[in-house]
Amino acid sequence: YNGIDIFSDKIYSRTGKRIYNNIKNKYTENKNFRSASNKFLKNFEDILKNHQKENDESEINSILDSTSGILYLLISHAIGKLD
C-alpha cells in the first residue's frame, strides 16, 4: 500500500516474534513443514474463495478471526506471502 509495510514483524510480542522466526526458518529448512504449510494455506484460501463467491462477508470475517485465520496470517507473513 503505497510503499507502506503494513505487515511488519514489529507487530509481534516477544513470543510472537519467536514463533514468527521459527516458522520462517522451518519453512526454509524443512521440506515436510513447507509442504504441510503450503497445503494448509491453499486449503484456507479455498475456503475463503468459496465464501467470497457467496458474498458472505460475516462468515469471512469469522474465519479470519478464528485460530486458523490467525495461523494463516502468521504463516503467510513469515514466508513473505504478504510482502
Side-chain angles (χ1 to χ4, degrees):
Y1 307 133
N2 296 331
I4 299 172
D5 184 11
I6 61 168
F7 283 100
S8 168
D9 60 355
K10 293 178 177 95
I11 64 172
Y12 298 112
S13 66
R14 186 179 308 232
T15 302
K17 178 72 172 168
R18 190 178 74 246
I19 293 168
Y20 169 88
N21 286 329
N22 284 343
I23 291 170
K24 189 175 186 175
N25 293 333
K26 217 171 186 180
Y27 187 86
T28 302
E29 298 168 1
N30 185 312
K31 182 179 175 183
N32 290 333
F33 181 80
R34 185 171 46 254
S35 178
S37 295
N38 289 339
K39 184 176 180 179
F40 170 79
L41 294 174
K42 182 179 179 340
N43 289 339
F44 192 86
E45 289 166 355
D46 288 345
I47 291 169
L48 287 178
K49 284 177 189 173
N50 288 335
H51 287 287
Q52 284 176 329
K53 288 177 187 175
E54 299 169 8
N55 290 322
D56 194 348
E57 191 173 321
S58 65
E59 187 64 25
I60 292 170
N61 289 335
S62 294
I63 293 167
L64 289 171
D65 287 340
S66 71
T67 303
S68 294
I70 293 166
L71 183 59
Y72 171 80
L73 290 171
L74 181 59
I75 293 171
S76 294
H77 184 216
I79 67 171
K81 191 170 180 152
L82 301 178
D83 292 343

